[in-house]
């Protein structure tokens, strides 16, 4: 009997063991260092993590704890944002400089400590200060819990694909010159795929990224747009892609030959290698349907089938016109939440805060600028002024004079936002936040305007996922447009494009206490002031309250 009892105990222990070992603590170390890099036949030092561009991929599983020790060895202040991570009660680890932390100063160290609660899929990390994310970025891959399958066919292999931009000049010098002149900065000199623009005439040694595959297999591509200022089309010659996830949330699968992806967004696609052999062009090209200057260069890589000679001619593909609005709209309209029993779409139906935010450009006086004025950006005509200490510290410790709670929930002046613009392009300046009670629900309509020029703004909300319940062209009509909202299976994201000359409506539940940044993920627009923040109060008890700051939180 005793032996049988021991065997039963051992059997139960073996069954229960996965419950105890499944959630792990993942340790990483990020050394922020300079590294010489050669692209486009020119060399320059760039800021990197561990000398890599793109930076190292972080791998973890749903519900794992992640600890990343960041050591700053460069002359710049640094902070790292874990883009799309909910950071439940751990806002101190979110990363945007002067919002949730003071930056990590040269020679200093900070340990980011957070748990990937209830999330799985592709996210990413990047610097969140100055323009350092041009080269300081990498993938964050969250695998499902052990034993939990994907809700789509299991791929033979997975590949991270990071799209970005490259400047021959130092990016900090570029933005500093633009701010000094009051004008727009120079566009990038190339786009890149996994750090490489592809073959460049006269630069024979830079062939670009090659993805080797075998015929008859399915591959999962984890695609990330880390570009500073440009939305991109992505396609592979003679191959279809099946979209299965965006921004680390599963979607209803659909087939396409071209995806559109805005800065800050991620898209997972299944690629089936149906050809016997061959080399096929992979292309990333710009999408811009407004009269705004862009980098027209197409980044290329190669899909190389096993057994194909290196001398084989690569099958080309045609890239969409940069203003292919119908193609981009068709893609975004096809996105739907999976909304299965295991992965439901919990769309808020009762709304506590009904907000309308205009996203615009503007012009303010500047005595030292070229034309006596500078281009700015704003939300509800407020150009955000960055504080000198972090907003989260000011909120947690009740420090007065850092910000106010009076961010306007509606535009201060109502006019034909996408029609004839008012003659005055000036904006208000301020560090104004919008306050939300814990667990309150928000409907936010983001409305583009024609100030200077209509433009597609990819808006990123920290600390939350949201549901994209509607979008359209022209001015939002609260009576007619609301009737058309999708409240059943809208796509769930953390970054969404507001169409040029149009609007997007999102809904979310404020169930994460802290201070949460919302801004345009076109870096130049964030620099110009197209940003704000929500304050979410604590709820009831410790499980609904912001944790206290860690002892090594950087000081300003």
């Amino acid at each position: 009997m005793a032996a049988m009892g021991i065997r039963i105990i051992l059997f139960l222990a073996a069954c229960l063991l996965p419950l105890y070992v499944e959630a792990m603590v993942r340790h990483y170390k990020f050394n922020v260092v300079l590294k010489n890099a050669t692209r486009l036949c020119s060399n320059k030092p760039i800021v990197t993590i561990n000398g890599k561009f793109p930076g190292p991929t972080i791998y973890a599983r749903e519900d794992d704890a992640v600890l990343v020790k960041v050591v700053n060895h460069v002359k710049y202040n640094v902070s790292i944002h874990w883009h799309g991570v909910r950071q439940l009660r751990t806002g101190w680890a979110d990363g945007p400089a002067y919002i949730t932390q003071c930056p990590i100063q040269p020679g200093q160290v900070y340990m980011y400590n957070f748990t990937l609660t209830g999330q799985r899929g592709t996210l990413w990390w990047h610097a969140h200060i100055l323009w350092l994310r041009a080269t300081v970025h990498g993938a964050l891959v969250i695998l499902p819990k052990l034993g939990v399958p994907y809700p789509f066919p299991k791929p033979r292999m997975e590949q991270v694909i990071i799209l970005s931009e490259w400047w021959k000049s130092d990016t900090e010098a570029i933005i500093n010159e633009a701010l000094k002149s009051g004008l727009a900065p120079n566009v990038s000199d190339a786009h890149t795929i996994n750090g490489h623009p592809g073959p460049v005439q006269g630069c024979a040694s830079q062939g670009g990224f090659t993805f080797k595959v075998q015929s008859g297999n399915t591959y999962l591509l984890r695609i990330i747009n880390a570009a500073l200022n440009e939305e991109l089309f992505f396609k592979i010659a003679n191959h279809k892609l099946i979209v299965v996830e965006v921004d680390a949330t599963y979607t209803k699968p659909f087939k396409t030959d071209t995806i559109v992806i805005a800065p800050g967004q991620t898209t997972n696609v299944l690629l089936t290698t149906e050809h016997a052999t061959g080399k096929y062009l992979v292309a990333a090209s710009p999408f811009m349907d407004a009269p705004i200057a862009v980098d027209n260069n197409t980044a290329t890589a190669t899909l190389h089938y096993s057994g194909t000679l290196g001398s084989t001619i690569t099958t080309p593909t045609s890239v969409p016109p940069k203003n292919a609005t119908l193609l981009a709209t068709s893609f975004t309209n096809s996105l739907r939440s999976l909304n299965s029993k295991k992965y439901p779409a919990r769309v808020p139906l009762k709304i506590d805060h009904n907000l309308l935010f205009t996203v615009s450009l503007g012009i303010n006086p500047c005595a030292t600028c070229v034309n006596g004025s500078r281009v700015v950006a704003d939300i509800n005509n407020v150009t955000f002024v960055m504080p000198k200490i972090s907003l989260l510290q000011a909120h947690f410790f009740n420090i007065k004079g850092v910000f106010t709670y009076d961010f306007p929930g509606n535009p201060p002046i109502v006019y034909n936002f996408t029609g004839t613009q008012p003659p005055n392009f000036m904006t208000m300046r301020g560090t104004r936040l919008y306050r939300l009670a814990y667990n309150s629900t928000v409907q936010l309509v983001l409305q583009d305007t024609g100030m200077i020029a209509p433009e597609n703004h990819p808006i990123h909300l920290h600390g939350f996922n949201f549901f994209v319940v509607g979008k359209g062209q022209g001015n939002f009509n609260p009576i007619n447009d609301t009737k058309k909202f999708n409240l059943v299976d809208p796509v769930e994201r953390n970054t969404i494009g507001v169409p040029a000359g149009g609007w997007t409506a999102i809904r979310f539940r404020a169930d994460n206490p802290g201070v949460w940044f919302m801004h345009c993920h076109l870096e130049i627009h964030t620099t110009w002031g197209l940003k704000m923040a929500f304050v979410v109060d604590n709820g009831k008890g410790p499980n609904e309250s912001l944790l206290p700051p860690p002892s090594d939180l950087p000081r300003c």
Side-chain angles (χ1 to χ4, degrees), residues 139-418:
L140 171 54
V141 174
I142 311 171
L143 300 170
K145 295 178 183 179
L146 283 171
V148 177
Y150 294 126
F152 47 79
K154 183 179 180 180
R156 179 182 184 275
M157 180 182 155
E158 303 184 4
Q159 175 65 52
V160 170
I161 294 180
I162 299 182
L163 314 177
S164 189
E165 293 177 272
W166 183 266
W167 282 260
K168 290 183 179 180
S169 301
D170 176 70
T171 50
E172 294 309 309
I174 289 170
I175 183 55
N176 289 339
E177 178 59 33
L179 292 175
K180 182 179 178 182
S181 69
L183 304 175
N186 295 336
V187 299
S188 55
D189 297 299
H191 297 108
T192 60
I193 299 176
N194 283 355
H196 298 279
V200 177
Q201 190 172 9
C203 304
S205 63
Q206 296 182 26
F209 174 72
T210 297
F211 179 31
K212 295 185 177 181
V213 297
Q214 292 184 348
S215 179
N217 287 295
T218 298
Y219 296 82
L220 180 66
L221 307 185
R222 299 179 178 271
I223 306 168
I224 299 166
N225 186 350
L228 257 64
N229 293 313
E230 293 185 2
E231 295 189 78
L232 296 167
F233 290 115
F234 177 88
K235 64 186 302 188
I236 301 175
N238 290 13
H239 287 76
K240 292 287 187 179
L241 306 171
I242 299 177
V243 178
V244 293
E245 178 203 303
V246 294
D247 291 2
T249 58
Y250 296 131
T251 63
K252 289 182 171 67
F254 70 94
K255 188 175 288 189
T256 181
D257 63 2
T258 307
I259 73 166
V260 63
I261 183 167
Q265 292 182 335
T266 69
T267 303
N268 281 10
V269 299
L270 294 177
L271 166 72
T272 300
T273 49
E274 297 176 337
H275 303 282
T277 59
K279 292 165 59 180
Y280 298 87
L281 196 72
V282 182
S285 61
F287 166 53
M288 173 57 74
D289 57 356
I292 305 292
V294 295
D295 174 0
N296 275 321
N297 293 300
T298 297
T300 59
T302 304
L303 187 75
H304 189 133
Y305 276 70
S306 176
T308 302
L309 295 176
S311 58
T312 302
I313 296 174
T314 302
T315 301
T317 187
S318 59
V319 299
K322 70 177 182 181
N323 63 345
T325 306
L326 291 179
L327 177 62
T329 302
S330 174
F331 177 83
T332 55
N333 285 348
S334 299
L335 294 170
R336 292 283 187 275
S337 285
L338 187 59
N339 194 28
S340 65
K341 185 176 181 180
K342 187 173 179 60
Y343 304 104
R346 296 189 174 93
V347 187
L349 301 180
K350 176 182 173 295
I351 298 301
D352 299 314
H353 297 264
N354 207 331
L355 308 177
L356 175 64
F357 286 2
T358 56
V359 287
S360 304
L361 303 181
I363 298 175
N364 282 349
C366 172
T368 59
C369 295
V370 172
N371 298 320
S373 61
R374 69 164 66 252
V375 180
V376 295
D378 63 90
I379 300 177
N380 274 354
N381 205 46
V382 178
T383 295
F384 191 84
V385 177
M386 294 295 281
K388 301 298 184 184
I389 68 167
S390 87
L391 297 176
L392 189 57
Q393 287 173 275
H395 167 65
F396 186 85
F397 293 108
N398 198 26
I399 302 172
K400 305 298 183 184
V402 178
F403 65 85
T404 57
Y405 288 106
D406 59 347
F407 189 88
N410 288 279
I413 300 175
V414 177
Y415 63 99
N416 183 359
F417 300 120
T418 56

